Amino acid sequence: MSTSGLEGVVVAQTKLSAINGAEGELIYGGYEIDDLARHTTFEEVCYLLWNGELPNQAQLDGLRAQLAAEQDAAPELIEMLRAYPRTADPMAGLRTIVSALGMFDPNADDNTEPELRRKAILLTAKMPTLTAAFERIRNGKEPVAPRAGLSMAANFLYMLNGEEADEIRVRTMDAALILHAEHGMNASTFAARVTAGTLSDVYSAIVSAIGTLKGPSHGGANVEVMNMLRDIAQSGTEPEAWVDHALESGRRVMGFGHRVYKATDPRAKVLRDLADQIVPAEGGEGGRGGRYWLDLSDRIRSHMQARMEAAGKKIYPNVDFFSASVYTTLGIPEDLFTAVFAMARTPGWTAHLFEQYAKNRLIRPEAEYTGPRGLTVKPVGER
Ligand code: ACO
C-alpha cells in the first residue's frame, strides 16, 4: 500500500519535539513553544535540543563561548561569496557555502559524537555570519565581523545592517529563531536524516536539508508570502478580492495550510503578538504606514478564515504567514527569509542527526511499480 506524501507514516522516534496538529500545539523537549519563545533565548533552545534539558547559567555561558569561538568566517569563504554572481539566490548561496565548509573541515567524515557536537555548534554559529556576509557583498558592501558579547540574534542583525538593533528588535529576532528551530519530521529534516542514514557526513546532510527547505511548499513559502503582499499593494487590489481571485483560479494562498496542523500554527500566533510590539505606528516603507504589511496580513487572514470555513477546510495560517511582515519590519530583505529560516533550523537539523547517527538504519522505502511487465527487447530499428 502506498501513502501519498508519506502522510501519517512514522519513520523515527525522537525526543526533540512533538506536534499536536488538531489542537495547534508544539513542544520542544517537553516545553510549550509559546513559553520558550517568550522566556528563553535561541542559545538556550540550542542547548535544549542538543542536550535534552535547558541549561543552567554555567552551561549557557559555556555554550555561548563555544558559539562565539566559531562565529568568524574564514577569509577563503568570504572570497567564495565574493565570487558568486550578484544575482545568486540566497538559498543556493547558503547551500554552496555550507558545502564548502565541509571541504575545509579535515574531520568532515568523522561522525563520532564529539565531532557531531562540534559541527552542530560550528554550523549554527557560522551560518548567520555567512548569510549576513552574502547579503552585504551582493549589495557592494564589506562584510561586518561578528561583535563579541552579542547574542546570536543581536549579532545577526548587527552583521546584516552594520549597526546594533534595539532591544525589542533583538528580542523579536531571538523569538523568530526559536520558533523556527525545530519541527519534527518535516521535509528538510527528513532529507537530512535520509542523507545521514547512508552514513554520509553532517555537511552533506545539512546541504540536503537546505536544498529541501528552499522549496515554496516548505521554507520558501515566507518569500512567496511577501511577494503576495507586495503584489496586492502594487496592484491596488483589495486583499479580499485578491484572495477570492487566487482561490477561484485554483491557486494556493501562501502562508496557509500545513500537513500536520489542522488549527492555527502556534508559531504564527507568537509571531503575530510580537509583530504588534515591533511594528511602528508611523513610518514604514514607501510612505506606507508602519502597520501597513501587518494590517494587510490581518485582512488576508480574516478573509481566508471565512473562505476556508465556508468550504469546510482546515486551512489556517502557518509560521511563514506572519514571519514575512515581521522580517520585513526587521529590515531583512525578502529573498533572504528562507536563509534566515535555515540558520534558525540548523540546531534542529543537527539534533536530529545526533539521533540518526546514534541509532542508524539506512532509510530506504519502496515504490509500487505501476508500469508494464513481460516486454521483450526489439532491435532499435524495429521499435
Ligand atoms: N491555499 C488554498 N487552499 C489550500 C492551501 C492554501 N495555502 N493549502 C491547502 N489547500 C487546500 C488544497 O487545495 C486541498 O483542497 P482540495 O481538498 O479541495 O483539493 C486541501 O486544502 C488539502 O490540501 P493538501 O494538498 O492535501 O495539503 P498538503 O498537506 O499536501 O499540503 C502544504 C500542505 C504544502 C503546506 C499546503 O497547505 C500549501 O501548499 N500551503 C501553501 C504553502 C505554504 O505556506 N507552505 C509552508 C508550510 S509551513 C512550513 O513548511 C514551514
Side-chain angles (χ1 to χ4, degrees):
M1 191 189 73
S2 72
T3 309
S4 170
L6 295 181
E7 185 167 2
V9 176
V10 175
V11 296
Q13 292 186 319
T14 182
K15 288 189 165 49
L16 299 172
S17 67
I19 303 164
N20 178 342
E23 302 296 328
E25 288 167 358
L26 169 64
I27 56 169
Y28 293 173
Y31 297 93
E32 292 287 343
I33 190 64
D34 195 275
D35 197 9
L36 290 170
R38 290 176 205 275
H39 302 124
T40 68
T41 58
F42 183 57
E43 287 84 342
E44 287 169 86
V45 167
C46 289
Y47 192 98
L48 172 66
L49 293 170
W50 291 333
N51 298 285
E53 59 183 11
L54 283 171
N56 61 29
Q57 192 62 54
Q59 290 163 332
L60 180 58
D61 292 345
L63 178 61
R64 281 194 184 131
Q66 288 175 305
L67 286 163
E70 290 288 1
Q71 256 177 335
D72 283 320
E76 295 89 335
L77 293 169
I78 297 293
E79 285 315 307
M80 282 187 74
L81 294 177
R82 289 193 208 278
Y84 283 5
R86 288 286 157 98
T87 52
D89 175 85
M91 284 297 274
L94 191 62
R95 193 186 59 210
T96 304
I97 207 74
V98 169
S99 185
L101 268 177
M103 291 193 292
F104 285 102
D105 186 341
N107 293 334
D109 290 317
D110 184 341
N111 294 332
T112 55
E113 205 212 317
E115 274 297 308
L116 295 179
R117 288 182 170 271
R118 181 181 67 79
K119 287 166 198 157
I121 290 169
L122 180 152
L123 283 161
T124 303
K126 289 202 195 305
M127 274 164 65
T129 310
L130 292 166
T131 302
F134 169 92
E135 170 60 16
R136 291 185 68 85
I137 289 170
R138 73 170 169 167
N139 286 302
K141 296 179 188 163
E142 274 306 299
V144 173
R147 182 171 275 183
L150 294 185
S151 67
M152 299 276 295
N155 237 330
F156 177 62
L157 293 175
Y158 168 67
M159 291 185 286
L160 197 63
N161 301 316
E163 56 185 45
E164 286 191 29
D166 64 27
E167 200 185 325
I168 182 64
R169 281 163 185 266
V170 170
R171 187 66 213 116
T172 303
M173 187 70 233
D174 214 353
L177 294 176
I178 292 168
L179 293 170
H180 288 84
E182 158 59 13
H183 209 233
M185 197 54 71
N186 57 88
S188 54
T189 299
F190 184 56
R193 289 186 76 139
V194 169
T195 302
T198 69
L199 298 181
S200 185
D201 65 289
V202 169
Y203 297 98
S204 299
I206 299 302
V207 167
S208 299
I210 294 170
T212 308
L213 188 72
K214 182 172 177 284
S217 291
H218 191 11
N222 51 20
V223 179
E224 299 299 330
V225 170
M226 204 58 220
N227 287 339
M228 168 179 75
L229 296 180
R230 287 197 194 286
D231 189 29
I232 295 173
Q234 276 156 18
S235 66
T237 318
E238 293 298 317
E240 293 79 5
W242 194 96
V243 167
D244 288 342
H245 181 67
L247 294 177
E248 271 132 41
S249 333
R251 279 186 287 138
R252 293 184 175 208
V253 179
M254 289 291 137
F256 287 85
H258 198 276
R259 174 60 62 78
V260 184
Y261 290 117
K262 302 304 166 200
T264 296
D265 181 336
R267 302 168 297 175
K269 279 188 196 155
V270 180
L271 275 175
R272 177 64 192 79
D273 286 358
L274 282 167
D276 269 332
Q277 295 177 41
I278 54 160
V279 171
E282 300 299 328
E285 189 183 313
R288 296 188 179 104
R291 291 190 59 86
Y292 183 83
W293 300 119
L294 195 54
D295 290 342
L296 193 54
S297 305
D298 281 341
R299 282 178 68 182
I300 295 169
R301 175 179 60 171
S302 302
H303 193 62
M304 268 297 277
Q305 191 169 331
R307 288 288 314 247
M308 292 297 114
E309 272 172 22
K313 293 184 186 175
K314 294 189 171 175
I315 302 290
Y316 297 90
N318 59 49
V319 67
D320 288 324
F321 188 60
F322 287 111
S323 64
S325 37
V326 166
Y327 287 160
T328 298
T329 310
L330 287 175
I332 301 172
E334 64 205 56
D335 68 346
L336 216 65
F337 292 174
T338 318
V340 174
F341 190 158
M343 63 190 219
R345 183 56 59 86
T346 301
W349 285 333
T350 48
H352 274 273
L353 296 182
F354 295 177
E355 290 188 341
Q356 185 66 38
Y357 287 115
K359 209 177 169 187
N360 186 56
R361 187 154 190 246
L362 181 76
I363 299 172
R364 203 302 187 186
E366 291 185 22
E368 184 186 2
Y369 178 68
T370 58
R373 293 182 188 272
L375 304 180
T376 50
V377 176
K378 287 183 189 153
V380 70
E382 293 174 27
R383 289 176 216 156

